[in-house]
Amino acid sequence: MTENADLANVPEATSVPKKRTRVPVVWIIPIVAALVGVGIVVQQYLSEGPTIRLSFRAAEGIEPGKTFIKYKDVEIGKVTAVALSEDFSKIVVTAKMAKHAEGLLVEDTRFWIVKPRATLSGVSGLGTLLSGNYIGIEPGKSRRKQHNFVGLEVPPPATIGLPGREFVLQADTLGSMVIGSPVYYRRLNAGQVIGYEMAADRKSVDIRIFIDAPYDNYVTSNTRFWESSGIRASVGANGLDVQTESVLAVLIGGISFETPPAEEPAAPAAANRIFRLHANRAAALAPPLAESETYVFYFSESVRGLPVGAPVTFLGMPIGEVTEVGIEFDPATQIVRTRVQAATFFYRLAAAMEKSSAARAKAMDRQARAAFIDRMVAEKGLRAQLRSGSIIGGQMYIAIEFFPDAPTAKLDRTKAPPRFPVVPGEMAELESKLKNIVEKLDKVPVEEIGNDLKKAIGTLDRTLARVEGETLPETKKTLEDLRRAIVAAERAVSNTDNTLLGPDAPAQQELRDALKEIARAARGIGVLADYLERNPETIIRGKNKENP
């Protein structure tokens, strides 16, 4: 009972409805205004693009709130702040980008300050003289987003969107190349240099070039590139060589490319392919050393004037080049001799002999080609000779030609590289002849000849003295007598002409009378002969008396 009474005394809980609080009407308007403001802020926040930071070496003409970031002359951002970096070495530019330009902000996107520039390759940015400097942008191709960038000091070449391909050239040095240097194909402007940087190996320079279409199709796997800048003049074994390019290439450098005519056609090279940049056209078009055949030449004369790179010719045509020049000790003969090593391209010779293409000649079995060269050496007298290529400079080169009268020799292939037989050079032969002449002159008894000559001169002096003292007076007298005799003869001839040959000379008159008498006598004899012919008996009986 007690428990029931306690439960009866427990107060019963009742549900009391919550008292509603009503917002006064006067607060509705501010709340709505606040909600609208928040919405505008949210919408503005959502419509704004990202904020980026650009670092430049100098921010010339960049002002917060005034300088824009433009892509294809469209404003896609605005500079909001310009400040120094923490180490005071650079300028950090903060810019607010448009929402629609967010996709341009990737890892390899490049920024630069557009301002008036005048370089040897052209003038740009003249429009900023009125509008002020702005920041240019070149979108990248990466997919990784980035908001911090290092600005370029010079604008990149305008190659975005242009048809063509990029390639990389490796060179020992940058030379005179600058961004914008032209690239030529058969002296036509086919592209330009768009960048350069130190190679990964730190031993060469990678030069990026852009080849415009359709010239990029002429870049194949066997295309060669070379520097075509400046004026090159050299005096070598081939004489004076002067090479010039266009004025623009002379001023700012240039690159040319070409595919060797002897090479087989190949497919266009892929973009970003790496090529070697050679120093000049001759070096670029030279056959690769991998295709060469190396020989060693031991010359007996001095090799002064024979540098590395000197040509090796066959009948005047280049067929290789010298790769090493040095001396070598020969244990067999215990002498020190000159050793010259050269890379040759005898497949060219084989191509000419076989009237085949260079490609077929290169594909020709090396053993068969070696046998061909051996036969030429053993049977035709193919020899190497050291010759002078320039009298002024004294440059030498190696000439491989036929010497049928040369002593018998063979190409020694037991050594590596093979030993090519040689003959004395022109200078050595000349020296040998001069030496022989000098030796013969040494054998001439000059002293005895001098004594005899001295005696002969003494005798001649005495003879001349006697002639002058004795013979000459007599001769003079004889000449005077002769002169008088000639005068007398001339006078006699003149008299004879007057007495005998003149028109009124007495002898002439007497002669004419005599001739007349002779003529009359001849006529009488003729009459007598006619009478005797008619009357031959008168010779016996005498002339008959004529009837009265």
Side-chain angles (χ1 to χ4, degrees), residues 512-541:
R512 282 193 293 270
D513 294 343
L515 290 175
K516 290 178 180 178
E517 290 296 333
I518 292 172
R520 283 194 295 271
R523 284 194 297 271
I525 293 172
V527 173
L528 177 59
D530 293 338
Y531 180 80
L532 292 175
E533 184 178 1
R534 289 191 305 268
N535 304 293
E537 67 277 5
T538 56
I539 296 175
I540 300 174
R541 296 177 180 175

Side-chain angles (χ1 to χ4, degrees), residues 332-354:
T333 58
Q334 295 292 310
I335 62 173
V336 178
R337 56 185 177 179
T338 59
R339 181 182 185 277
V340 179
Q341 184 168 309
T344 62
F345 308 94
F346 272 106
Y347 65 82
R348 293 180 175 178
L349 174 62
M353 295 294 181
E354 301 293 339

Side-chain angles (χ1 to χ4, degrees), residues 90-110:
K90 295 182 180 179
I91 303 298
V92 178
V93 177
T94 304
K96 196 71 174 178
M97 300 297 292
K99 182 68 176 179
H100 62 272
E102 187 175 4
L104 300 176
L105 305 176
V106 293
E107 190 176 42
D108 53 348
T109 297
R110 297 185 288 185

